[in-house]
Amino acid sequence: MNKGLLIVFSGPSGCGKGTILKQFLARNEDVRVSVSATTRAPREGEQEGVSYFFKTKEEFEELVRSGGMLEHATYVGNSYGTPRASVEAWREEGYHVVLEIEVQGALQVKRNCPDALLVFVLPPSFEELERRLTGRGTEEPQVVARRLAMAKEELESAGQYDYILVNDVVEEAVADLETIVNAEQMKTPHMQDFLKGLCEV
Amino acid sequence: MNKGLLIVFSGPSGCGKGTILKQFLARNEDVRVSVSATTRAPREGEQEGVSYFFKTKEEFEELVRSGGMLEHATYVGNSYGTPRASVEAWREEGYHVVLEIEVQGALQVKRNCPDALLVFVLPPSFEELERRLTGRGTEEPQVVARRLAMAKEELESAGQYDYILVNDVVEEAVADLETIVNAEQMKTPHMQDFLKGLCEV
């Protein structure tokens, strides 16, 4: 059993990363989505360890202090983060673990876990992103404009990612993500058990 | 047009790397095999720039001195090497260039061209390698034994390669090599033109 990969997934709003992930998960039983920890109170129907790991402020801070968080941030007074232990436990069982987070969190993960794969999802063109954001029809023009401005800013960070996934046709983007996962597993560090087995003969 | 990849292909005798490369080339028009330079005299039918680049000893040594060789070695009095210029010219045209060379040469290439991809081909098991070498029926037992001993020695270097390609079924190994090539092209350094295009809007 080889250790699973840690895949960090980012991209501007409207790039389609949610749809890609959904199909990727449906097609690959060996992939799991990381569960975040949070200090905010559980809402109705939310389950511990499924929706979130619910923590007190003290528990959360202790986890950060002891290096137990791969990344963390505070949002409207509540803290959110990715606990290292649950991610590592799944990876040791052979599951690939996916984190869908924004750029600052992704770069924190890379610092705390250098073998994480950072994948940045992009639209085929800026016009297409604009069309997708407008086409939803649910957003005010000024919301669309703000999202586009944010997208341009996030693009500046794409160069710090390992892979760029262009989402033109969703099925192809999912296949491309599978290509990345399959290639990564042929990298020498992931083949150590096989190499050791061969050499021991 | 993105720059092509430089793929260095090694593996023990009997691992099937020749067969994999042949199918890989047949299926991918954007791949070329590097042409070596040599100081040995042309044999009948050998063409300059196709079979080899034929060089005088002085020309060859001058190329080595000026950093014009990605790797080189001497074999029974003749020098052989991979000229950087021809490899780079093809890569600039967008072709992926394959070098099929042994371990020492591969590691020289990696030092001289850090973005080269080193791919090590391995049999699924040592027993299978023995079976393939014996099964040819053309070799004396002591030749087979020597090849197996050499294979064990080469295996020690596999850890220095970027990727390990296990050749169980040839068609699958070819597909795996294509997976590696496709994933590498999604790496951020190869997506700079695309990123630049998006950002300029």
Side-chain angles (χ1 to χ4, degrees), chain A residues 26-39:
Chain A
R27 283 170 51 154
N28 296 278
E29 287 182 352
D30 56 352
V31 179
R32 292 197 173 172
V33 174
S34 162
V35 178
S36 298
T38 182
T39 59

Side-chain angles (χ1 to χ4, degrees), chain A residues 152 161 164 186 188 201, chain B residues 152 161 164 186-188 201:
Chain A
K152 283 200 186 189
Y161 279 61
I164 305 290
M186 289 187 264
T188 310
V201 177
Chain B
K152 284 202 186 189
Y161 279 62
I164 305 290
M186 288 186 264
K187 284 212 172 147
T188 309
V201 178

